[in-house]
Coordinates of all heavy atoms in Angstrom, one line a residue:
M1 N -73.6 -145.2 -49.0 CA -74.4 -144.0 -48.7 C -75.1 -144.2 -47.3 O -75.7 -145.2 -47.0 CB -75.5 -143.8 -49.7 CG -75.5 -142.4 -50.3 SD -76.3 -142.4 -51.9 CE -77.9 -143.0 -51.6
K2 N -75.1 -143.2 -46.5 CA -75.6 -143.3 -45.1 C -76.7 -142.2 -44.9 O -76.5 -141.1 -45.3 CB -74.4 -143.0 -44.1 CG -74.2 -144.1 -43.1 CD -73.0 -143.8 -42.3 CE -72.9 -142.5 -41.6 NZ -71.7 -142.3 -40.8
N3 N -77.7 -142.6 -44.3 CA -78.8 -141.6 -44.0 C -78.4 -140.8 -42.8 O -77.7 -141.3 -41.9 CB -80.1 -142.3 -43.8 CG -80.6 -143.0 -45.0 OD1 -80.6 -142.3 -46.1 ND2 -81.0 -144.2 -44.9
G4 N -78.9 -139.6 -42.7 CA -78.7 -138.8 -41.6 C -79.7 -137.6 -41.5 O -80.6 -137.5 -42.3
I5 N -79.5 -136.8 -40.5 CA -80.3 -135.6 -40.3 C -79.4 -134.4 -40.2 O -78.4 -134.5 -39.5 CB -81.1 -135.8 -38.9 CG1 -82.0 -137.0 -38.9 CG2 -81.9 -134.5 -38.7 CD1 -83.3 -136.8 -39.7
C6 N -79.8 -133.4 -40.9 CA -78.9 -132.2 -40.9 C -79.0 -131.5 -39.5 O -80.1 -131.3 -39.0 CB -79.4 -131.2 -41.9 SG -78.6 -129.6 -41.8
K7 N -77.8 -131.3 -39.0 CA -77.8 -130.6 -37.6 C -78.3 -129.2 -37.7 O -78.7 -128.6 -36.7 CB -76.4 -130.6 -37.1 CG -76.0 -132.0 -36.5 CD -74.6 -131.9 -35.9 CE -74.0 -133.2 -35.7 NZ -72.5 -133.2 -35.7
G8 N -78.2 -128.6 -38.9 CA -78.6 -127.2 -39.0 C -80.1 -127.0 -39.1 O -80.7 -126.3 -38.3
C9 N -80.7 -127.7 -40.0 CA -82.2 -127.5 -40.3 C -83.0 -128.6 -40.0 O -84.3 -128.5 -40.1 CB -82.3 -127.0 -41.8 SG -82.0 -128.3 -42.9
G10 N -82.5 -129.8 -39.7 CA -83.3 -131.0 -39.4 C -83.8 -131.8 -40.5 O -84.6 -132.7 -40.4
A11 N -83.4 -131.4 -41.8 CA -83.8 -132.1 -42.9 C -83.2 -133.5 -43.0 O -82.1 -133.7 -42.5 CB -83.5 -131.3 -44.2
S12 N -83.9 -134.4 -43.7 CA -83.3 -135.7 -44.0 C -82.2 -135.5 -45.1 O -82.4 -134.9 -46.1 CB -84.3 -136.7 -44.6 OG -85.3 -136.9 -43.6
I13 N -81.0 -136.1 -44.8 CA -79.9 -136.0 -45.8 C -79.3 -137.4 -45.9 O -79.6 -138.3 -45.2 CB -78.8 -135.0 -45.3 CG1 -78.3 -135.4 -43.9 CG2 -79.4 -133.6 -45.3 CD1 -77.1 -134.5 -43.5
V14 N -78.5 -137.5 -47.0 CA -77.7 -138.7 -47.2 C -76.3 -138.3 -47.3 O -76.0 -137.2 -47.8 CB -78.1 -139.5 -48.4 CG1 -79.4 -140.2 -48.3 CG2 -78.1 -138.6 -49.7
W15 N -75.4 -139.1 -46.7 CA -74.0 -138.8 -46.8 C -73.4 -139.6 -48.0 O -73.5 -140.8 -47.9 CB -73.3 -139.2 -45.5 CG -73.6 -138.3 -44.4 CD1 -74.6 -138.5 -43.5 CD2 -73.0 -137.0 -44.0 NE1 -74.6 -137.4 -42.6 CE2 -73.6 -136.5 -42.9 CE3 -71.9 -136.3 -44.6 CZ2 -73.2 -135.3 -42.3 CZ3 -71.5 -135.1 -44.0 CH2 -72.2 -134.6 -42.9
I16 N -72.8 -138.9 -49.0 CA -72.3 -139.7 -50.1 C -70.8 -139.6 -50.0 O -70.2 -138.5 -49.8 CB -72.8 -139.0 -51.4 CG1 -74.3 -139.2 -51.5 CG2 -72.1 -139.7 -52.6 CD1 -74.9 -138.7 -52.8
G17 N -70.2 -140.8 -50.1 CA -68.7 -140.8 -50.0 C -68.1 -140.3 -51.3 O -68.4 -140.9 -52.4
M18 N -67.3 -139.3 -51.3 CA -66.8 -138.7 -52.5 C -65.5 -139.4 -52.9 O -64.9 -140.1 -52.1 CB -66.4 -137.2 -52.2 CG -67.6 -136.4 -51.7 SD -68.9 -136.3 -52.9 CE -68.2 -135.2 -54.1
Q19 N -65.1 -139.2 -54.1 CA -63.8 -139.8 -54.6 C -62.6 -139.3 -53.8 O -61.7 -140.0 -53.7 CB -63.6 -139.4 -56.1 CG -64.8 -139.7 -56.9 CD -64.6 -141.0 -57.8 OE1 -63.7 -141.1 -58.5 NE2 -65.5 -141.9 -57.6
S20 N -62.7 -138.1 -53.2 CA -61.7 -137.6 -52.4 C -61.5 -138.3 -51.1 O -60.6 -138.1 -50.3 CB -61.9 -136.1 -52.1 OG -63.1 -136.0 -51.4
G21 N -62.5 -139.1 -50.7 CA -62.5 -139.8 -49.4 C -63.4 -139.1 -48.4 O -63.6 -139.7 -47.3
K22 N -63.8 -137.9 -48.7 CA -64.7 -137.2 -47.8 C -66.1 -137.6 -48.0 O -66.4 -138.1 -49.1 CB -64.5 -135.7 -48.0 CG -63.2 -135.1 -47.5 CD -63.1 -133.6 -47.7 CE -61.8 -133.1 -47.3 NZ -61.5 -131.7 -47.7
S23 N -67.0 -137.2 -47.0 CA -68.4 -137.5 -47.2 C -69.1 -136.1 -47.4 O -68.7 -135.1 -46.8 CB -69.0 -138.2 -46.0 OG -68.5 -139.5 -46.0
M24 N -70.0 -136.1 -48.3 CA -70.8 -134.9 -48.6 C -72.2 -135.0 -48.3 O -72.9 -136.0 -48.7 CB -70.6 -134.7 -50.2 CG -71.6 -133.6 -50.7 SD -70.9 -132.1 -50.9 CE -70.3 -132.1 -52.6
P25 N -72.8 -134.1 -47.4 CA -74.2 -134.2 -47.1 C -75.0 -133.7 -48.3 O -74.8 -132.6 -48.9 CB -74.3 -133.2 -45.9 CG -73.2 -132.3 -46.0 CD -72.1 -133.0 -46.8
C26 N -76.0 -134.5 -48.7 CA -76.8 -134.2 -49.8 C -78.3 -134.4 -49.4 O -78.6 -135.1 -48.5 CB -76.5 -135.1 -51.0 SG -74.9 -134.9 -51.7
D27 N -79.2 -133.7 -50.2 CA -80.6 -133.9 -49.9 C -81.0 -135.3 -50.1 O -80.5 -136.0 -51.1 CB -81.4 -133.0 -50.9 CG -81.4 -131.5 -50.5 OD1 -80.7 -131.2 -49.5 OD2 -82.0 -130.7 -51.2
A28 N -81.9 -135.8 -49.3 CA -82.2 -137.2 -49.3 C -83.0 -137.6 -50.6 O -83.0 -138.8 -51.0 CB -83.0 -137.6 -48.1
S29 N -83.7 -136.6 -51.2 CA -84.5 -137.0 -52.4 C -83.7 -136.9 -53.6 O -83.1 -135.8 -53.9 CB -85.7 -136.1 -52.5 OG -86.1 -135.5 -51.3
P30 N -83.5 -137.9 -54.4 CA -82.8 -137.9 -55.6 C -83.5 -137.0 -56.7 O -84.7 -136.8 -56.6 CB -82.7 -139.3 -56.1 CG -83.7 -140.1 -55.3 CD -84.1 -139.2 -54.1
V31 N -82.7 -136.4 -57.6 CA -83.2 -135.6 -58.7 C -82.7 -136.2 -60.0 O -81.7 -136.8 -60.1 CB -82.8 -134.1 -58.6 CG1 -83.4 -133.5 -57.3 CG2 -81.3 -134.0 -58.5
Y32 N -83.4 -135.9 -61.1 CA -83.0 -136.3 -62.4 C -82.1 -135.2 -62.9 O -82.4 -134.0 -62.7 CB -84.2 -136.5 -63.3 CG -85.1 -137.6 -63.0 CD1 -86.3 -137.4 -62.5 CD2 -84.6 -138.9 -63.2 CE1 -87.1 -138.5 -62.2 CE2 -85.4 -140.0 -62.9 CZ -86.7 -139.8 -62.3 OH -87.5 -140.8 -62.0
Y33 N -81.1 -135.5 -63.6 CA -80.2 -134.5 -64.2 C -79.8 -134.8 -65.6 O -79.9 -136.0 -66.1 CB -78.9 -134.4 -63.4 CG -78.0 -135.6 -63.6 CD1 -77.0 -135.6 -64.6 CD2 -78.0 -136.7 -62.7 CE1 -76.2 -136.7 -64.7 CE2 -77.2 -137.8 -62.9 CZ -76.3 -137.8 -63.9 OH -75.4 -138.8 -64.1
K34 N -79.5 -133.8 -66.4 CA -79.0 -133.9 -67.7 C -77.7 -133.2 -67.7 O -77.5 -132.1 -67.4 CB -80.0 -133.2 -68.7 CG -79.6 -133.4 -70.1 CD -80.7 -133.1 -71.1 CE -80.3 -133.4 -72.5 NZ -79.8 -134.8 -72.7
E35 N -76.6 -134.0 -68.0 CA -75.3 -133.5 -68.0 C -75.1 -132.3 -69.0 O -75.6 -132.4 -70.1 CB -74.3 -134.6 -68.3 CG -72.9 -134.3 -67.9 CD -72.0 -135.5 -67.8 OE1 -72.5 -136.7 -67.9 OE2 -70.8 -135.4 -67.6
H36 N -74.4 -131.3 -68.6 CA -74.4 -130.1 -69.4 C -73.2 -129.3 -68.8 O -73.2 -128.8 -67.7 CB -75.7 -129.3 -69.2 CG -75.8 -128.2 -70.2 ND1 -74.9 -127.2 -70.3 CD2 -76.8 -127.9 -71.0 CE1 -75.3 -126.3 -71.2 NE2 -76.5 -126.7 -71.7
K37 N -72.1 -129.1 -69.6 CA -70.9 -128.5 -69.0 C -71.1 -127.0 -68.6 O -70.4 -126.5 -67.8 CB -69.7 -128.7 -69.9 CG -69.7 -127.9 -71.2 CD -68.3 -128.2 -71.9 CE -68.3 -127.9 -73.4 NZ -68.7 -126.5 -73.8
N38 N -72.1 -126.4 -69.2 CA -72.4 -125.0 -68.7 C -73.7 -125.0 -67.9 O -74.3 -123.9 -67.8 CB -72.5 -124.1 -69.9 CG -71.2 -124.0 -70.7 OD1 -70.2 -123.9 -70.1 ND2 -71.3 -124.1 -72.0
G39 N -74.1 -126.1 -67.4 CA -75.3 -126.2 -66.6 C -75.3 -125.3 -65.4 O -74.2 -125.0 -64.9
K40 N -76.5 -125.0 -64.9 CA -76.5 -124.1 -63.7 C -76.6 -124.9 -62.4 O -76.5 -124.3 -61.3 CB -77.7 -123.1 -63.8 CG -79.1 -123.9 -63.9 CD -80.2 -122.9 -64.1 CE -81.6 -123.4 -64.1 NZ -81.8 -124.8 -64.4
D41 N -76.7 -126.2 -62.5 CA -76.8 -127.0 -61.3 C -75.6 -127.9 -61.2 O -74.9 -128.2 -62.1 CB -78.1 -127.8 -61.3 CG -79.3 -127.0 -61.3 OD1 -79.5 -126.1 -60.4 OD2 -80.2 -127.1 -62.3
K42 N -75.4 -128.3 -59.9 CA -74.4 -129.4 -59.7 C -75.1 -130.5 -58.9 O -75.8 -130.2 -57.9 CB -73.2 -128.8 -58.9 CG -72.2 -128.1 -59.7 CD -70.9 -127.9 -58.9 CE -69.8 -127.4 -59.7 NZ -70.0 -126.5 -60.8
I43 N -74.8 -131.7 -59.2 CA -75.3 -132.8 -58.4 C -74.2 -133.8 -58.1 O -73.1 -133.7 -58.8 CB -76.5 -133.5 -59.1 CG1 -76.1 -134.1 -60.5 CG2 -77.7 -132.6 -59.3 CD1 -75.5 -135.5 -60.4
V44 N -74.4 -134.6 -57.2 CA -73.4 -135.7 -56.9 C -74.1 -137.0 -57.2 O -75.2 -137.3 -56.8 CB -73.1 -135.6 -55.4 CG1 -72.0 -136.6 -55.0 CG2 -72.7 -134.2 -55.0
T45 N -73.4 -137.8 -57.9 CA -73.9 -139.2 -58.2 C -73.7 -140.0 -57.0 O -72.9 -139.7 -56.1 CB -73.1 -139.8 -59.4 OG1 -71.8 -140.1 -59.0 CG2 -73.1 -138.9 -60.6
P46 N -74.5 -141.1 -56.9 CA -74.3 -142.1 -55.8 C -72.8 -142.6 -55.7 O -72.5 -143.1 -54.6 CB -75.3 -143.2 -56.1 CG -76.3 -142.5 -56.9 CD -75.6 -141.5 -57.8
N47 N -72.1 -142.5 -56.7 CA -70.7 -142.9 -56.7 C -69.7 -141.8 -56.2 O -68.5 -142.0 -56.2 CB -70.2 -143.3 -58.1 CG -71.0 -144.4 -58.7 OD1 -71.5 -145.3 -58.0 ND2 -71.1 -144.5 -60.0
G48 N -70.3 -140.7 -55.9 CA -69.4 -139.6 -55.4 C -68.8 -138.7 -56.4 O -67.7 -138.2 -56.2
I49 N -69.3 -138.6 -57.6 CA -68.8 -137.8 -58.7 C -69.7 -136.6 -58.8 O -70.9 -136.7 -58.9 CB -68.7 -138.6 -60.0 CG1 -67.8 -139.8 -59.8 CG2 -68.3 -137.7 -61.1 CD1 -67.9 -140.8 -60.9
V50 N -69.1 -135.4 -58.8 CA -69.8 -134.1 -59.0 C -70.0 -133.9 -60.5 O -69.0 -133.9 -61.2 CB -69.1 -133.0 -58.3 CG1 -69.9 -131.7 -58.5 CG2 -68.9 -133.2 -56.8
I51 N -71.2 -133.6 -60.9 CA -71.5 -133.4 -62.3 C -72.2 -132.0 -62.4 O -73.1 -131.7 -61.7 CB -72.4 -134.5 -62.8 CG1 -71.6 -135.8 -62.8 CG2 -72.9 -134.2 -64.2 CD1 -72.4 -137.0 -63.3
T52 N -71.7 -131.2 -63.4 CA -72.4 -130.0 -63.7 C -73.4 -130.3 -64.7 O -73.2 -131.0 -65.7 CB -71.3 -129.0 -64.3 OG1 -70.3 -128.8 -63.4 CG2 -72.0 -127.6 -64.6
C53 N -74.6 -129.8 -64.5 CA -75.8 -130.3 -65.2 C -76.9 -129.3 -65.1 O -76.9 -128.3 -64.4 CB -76.2 -131.7 -64.6 SG -76.7 -131.5 -62.9
D54 N -78.0 -129.7 -65.7 CA -79.3 -129.0 -65.5 C -80.2 -130.1 -64.8 O -80.3 -131.2 -65.3 CB -79.9 -128.5 -66.8 CG -79.2 -127.3 -67.3 OD1 -78.9 -126.4 -66.5 OD2 -79.1 -127.2 -68.5
I55 N -80.9 -129.7 -63.8 CA -81.8 -130.6 -63.1 C -83.1 -130.6 -63.9 O -83.6 -129.5 -64.3 CB -82.0 -130.2 -61.7 CG1 -80.8 -130.6 -60.9 CG2 -83.2 -130.9 -61.1 CD1 -80.7 -130.1 -59.5
V56 N -83.6 -131.8 -64.3 CA -84.8 -131.9 -65.1 C -85.9 -132.7 -64.3 O -85.5 -133.4 -63.4 CB -84.5 -132.6 -66.5 CG1 -83.5 -131.7 -67.3 CG2 -84.0 -134.0 -66.3
T57 N -87.1 -132.5 -64.7 CA -88.2 -133.2 -64.1 C -88.6 -134.4 -64.9 O -89.3 -135.3 -64.3 CB -89.4 -132.3 -63.8 OG1 -89.7 -131.6 -65.0 CG2 -89.0 -131.2 -62.8
N58 N -88.3 -134.4 -66.1 CA -88.8 -135.5 -67.0 C -87.7 -136.6 -67.1 O -86.6 -136.4 -67.6 CB -89.1 -135.0 -68.4 CG -89.6 -136.0 -69.3 OD1 -89.6 -137.2 -69.0 ND2 -90.1 -135.6 -70.4
P59 N -88.0 -137.8 -66.5 CA -87.0 -138.9 -66.5 C -86.6 -139.2 -67.9 O -85.4 -139.7 -68.1 CB -87.8 -140.1 -65.9 CG -89.0 -139.5 -65.3 CD -89.3 -138.2 -65.9
N60 N -87.4 -139.0 -68.9 CA -87.0 -139.4 -70.3 C -85.9 -138.5 -70.9 O -85.3 -138.8 -71.8 CB -88.3 -139.3 -71.2 CG -89.3 -140.3 -70.9 OD1 -89.0 -141.4 -70.4 ND2 -90.6 -139.9 -71.0
E61 N -85.8 -137.3 -70.3 CA -84.7 -136.4 -70.7 C -83.5 -136.5 -69.9 O -82.5 -135.9 -70.2 CB -85.2 -134.9 -70.5 CG -86.4 -134.5 -71.4 CD -86.8 -133.1 -71.1 OE1 -86.2 -132.4 -70.2 OE2 -87.8 -132.7 -71.7
A62 N -83.5 -137.3 -68.9 CA -82.4 -137.3 -67.9 C -81.3 -138.3 -68.3 O -81.6 -139.3 -69.0 CB -83.0 -137.7 -66.5
D63 N -80.1 -137.9 -67.9 CA -79.0 -138.8 -68.1 C -78.8 -139.8 -66.9 O -78.2 -140.8 -67.0 CB -77.7 -138.0 -68.2 CG -77.6 -137.3 -69.5 OD1 -78.1 -137.8 -70.5 OD2 -76.9 -136.2 -69.6
G64 N -79.4 -139.4 -65.8 CA -79.3 -140.2 -64.6 C -79.9 -139.6 -63.4 O -80.6 -138.5 -63.5
V65 N -79.6 -140.2 -62.3 CA -80.2 -139.7 -61.0 C -79.0 -139.3 -60.1 O -78.0 -140.0 -60.0 CB -81.0 -140.8 -60.4 CG1 -81.5 -140.4 -59.0 CG2 -82.3 -141.1 -61.2
G66 N -79.2 -138.2 -59.5 CA -78.1 -137.7 -58.5 C -78.7 -137.0 -57.4 O -80.0 -137.0 -57.2
Y67 N -77.9 -136.4 -56.6 CA -78.3 -135.8 -55.3 C -77.8 -134.4 -55.3 O -76.6 -134.1 -55.6 CB -77.8 -136.6 -54.1 CG -78.5 -137.9 -54.0 CD1 -78.0 -139.0 -54.7 CD2 -79.6 -138.1 -53.2 CE1 -78.6 -140.2 -54.6 CE2 -80.2 -139.3 -53.1 CZ -79.7 -140.4 -53.8 OH -80.3 -141.6 -53.8
K68 N -78.6 -133.4 -54.8 CA -78.2 -132.1 -54.7 C -77.4 -131.9 -53.4 O -77.8 -132.4 -52.3 CB -79.4 -131.1 -54.6 CG -79.9 -130.8 -56.0 CD -80.9 -129.6 -55.9 CE -82.3 -130.1 -55.6 NZ -83.3 -129.0 -55.7
S69 N -76.3 -131.2 -53.4 CA -75.5 -130.9 -52.2 C -76.4 -130.2 -51.2 O -77.1 -129.3 -51.5 CB -74.3 -130.0 -52.5 OG -73.9 -129.5 -51.3
H70 N -76.4 -130.7 -50.0 CA -77.3 -130.0 -49.0 C -76.7 -128.6 -48.6 O -77.5 -127.8 -48.2 CB -77.4 -130.9 -47.7 CG -78.4 -130.4 -46.8 ND1 -79.8 -130.2 -47.1 CD2 -78.3 -129.9 -45.5 CE1 -80.4 -129.7 -46.0 NE2 -79.5 -129.4 -45.1
F71 N -75.5 -128.4 -48.9 CA -74.9 -127.1 -48.7 C -75.7 -126.0 -49.5 O -75.8 -124.9 -49.1 CB -73.4 -127.0 -49.1 CG -72.5 -127.8 -48.2 CD1 -71.6 -128.6 -48.7 CD2 -72.7 -127.6 -46.8 CE1 -70.7 -129.3 -47.8 CE2 -71.8 -128.3 -45.9 CZ -70.8 -129.2 -46.5
A72 N -76.1 -126.5 -50.7 CA -76.8 -125.5 -51.6 C -78.2 -125.3 -51.2 O -78.8 -124.2 -51.5 CB -76.8 -126.1 -53.0
T73 N -78.9 -126.2 -50.4 CA -80.3 -126.0 -50.2 C -80.6 -125.8 -48.7 O -81.7 -125.4 -48.3 CB -81.1 -127.3 -50.6 OG1 -80.6 -128.4 -49.8 CG2 -80.9 -127.6 -52.1
C74 N -79.6 -126.0 -47.8 CA -79.8 -125.9 -46.4 C -80.2 -124.4 -46.0 O -79.5 -123.5 -46.4 CB -78.6 -126.3 -45.6 SG -78.9 -126.3 -43.8
T75 N -81.2 -124.3 -45.2 CA -81.6 -122.9 -44.8 C -80.6 -122.4 -43.7 O -80.6 -121.3 -43.4 CB -83.0 -122.9 -44.2 OG1 -83.1 -123.9 -43.2 CG2 -84.0 -123.2 -45.3
K76 N -79.9 -123.4 -43.2 CA -78.9 -123.0 -42.1 C -77.5 -123.2 -42.6 O -76.6 -123.5 -41.8 CB -79.1 -123.9 -40.9 CG -80.5 -123.7 -40.2 CD -80.4 -122.4 -39.3 CE -81.8 -122.0 -38.9 NZ -82.4 -122.8 -37.9
A77 N -77.3 -123.1 -43.9 CA -76.0 -123.4 -44.5 C -74.9 -122.5 -43.9 O -73.7 -122.9 -43.8 CB -76.0 -123.1 -46.0
G78 N -75.3 -121.3 -43.4 CA -74.3 -120.4 -42.8 C -73.6 -121.1 -41.6 O -72.4 -120.7 -41.3
S79 N -74.2 -122.0 -41.0 CA -73.6 -122.6 -39.8 C -72.5 -123.7 -40.2 O -71.8 -124.1 -39.4 CB -74.6 -123.3 -38.9 OG -75.4 -124.2 -39.6
F80 N -72.5 -124.1 -41.5 CA -71.5 -125.0 -42.0 C -70.2 -124.3 -42.4 O -69.1 -124.8 -42.3 CB -72.0 -125.8 -43.2 CG -73.1 -126.8 -42.9 CD1 -74.4 -126.6 -43.3 CD2 -72.8 -127.9 -42.2 CE1 -75.4 -127.5 -43.1 CE2 -73.8 -128.8 -41.9 CZ -75.1 -128.6 -42.4
R81 N -70.4 -123.2 -43.2 CA -69.2 -122.6 -43.8 C -69.2 -121.1 -43.4 O -70.2 -120.5 -43.3 CB -69.3 -122.8 -45.3 CG -70.5 -122.2 -45.9 CD -70.5 -122.4 -47.4 NE -71.8 -122.0 -47.9 CZ -72.3 -122.3 -49.1 NH1 -71.6 -123.1 -49.9 NH2 -73.5 -121.9 -49.5
K82 N -68.0 -120.7 -43.3 CA -67.8 -119.3 -43.0 C -67.4 -118.6 -44.3 O -66.6 -119.1 -45.0 CB -66.6 -119.1 -42.0 CG -67.0 -119.7 -40.6 CD -65.9 -119.4 -39.6 CE -66.3 -119.9 -38.3 NZ -65.5 -121.0 -37.8
K83 N -68.1 -117.5 -44.5 CA -67.9 -116.8 -45.8 C -67.1 -115.6 -45.5 O -67.2 -115.0 -44.4 CB -69.2 -116.4 -46.4 CG -69.4 -117.0 -47.8 CD -70.7 -116.5 -48.4 CE -70.8 -116.9 -49.9 NZ -72.0 -116.5 -50.5
G84 N -66.2 -115.2 -46.5 CA -65.6 -113.9 -46.3 C -64.1 -114.0 -46.2 O -63.4 -114.9 -46.6
Ligands
ZN101 ZN1 -79.7 -128.4 -43.4

């Protein structure tokens, strides 16, 4: 995992190496998640696995710690991907 700065919004991010071999920019602060196949959130584990889950605040309820994709939270996400 490599630290970086988002070129779009200037936030601290981490680059997580995905199983596909690509790197995914994620928010630098880890979150607790509870795995849930119909969950509304997606996180990336430090091993580069995407998990559908619900993000929880209570560590006792969590299955583990992961990172939110920065694509989902970046205020300048439009500069990364073209929609349409
Ligand atoms: Zn950003």
Side-chain angles (χ1 to χ4, degrees):
M1 232 158 60
K2 233 170 61 179
N3 294 310
I5 299 284
C6 175
K7 280 184 196 154
C9 70
S12 296
I13 56 173
V14 290
W15 291 92
I16 297 181
M18 305 300 288
Q19 305 259 306
S20 64
K22 291 183 180 165
S23 289
M24 165 97 94
C26 294
D27 286 2
S29 335
V31 293
Y32 295 110
Y33 71 89
K34 186 163 182 54
E35 200 163 349
H36 191 306
K37 68 177 161 56
N38 297 316
K40 61 183 183 338
D41 296 306
K42 277 196 168 38
I43 60 90
V44 185
T45 68
N47 300 333
I49 298 167
V50 177
I51 294 179
T52 302
C53 61
D54 286 320
I55 288 172
V56 297
T57 50
N58 184 347
N60 296 324
E61 293 175 4
D63 288 331
V65 172
Y67 293 84
K68 279 194 271 190
S69 164
H70 187 63
F71 290 134
T73 63
C74 183
T75 54
K76 297 278 167 75
S79 57
F80 289 111
R81 62 181 167 198
K82 292 183 180 118
K83 241 185 169 180

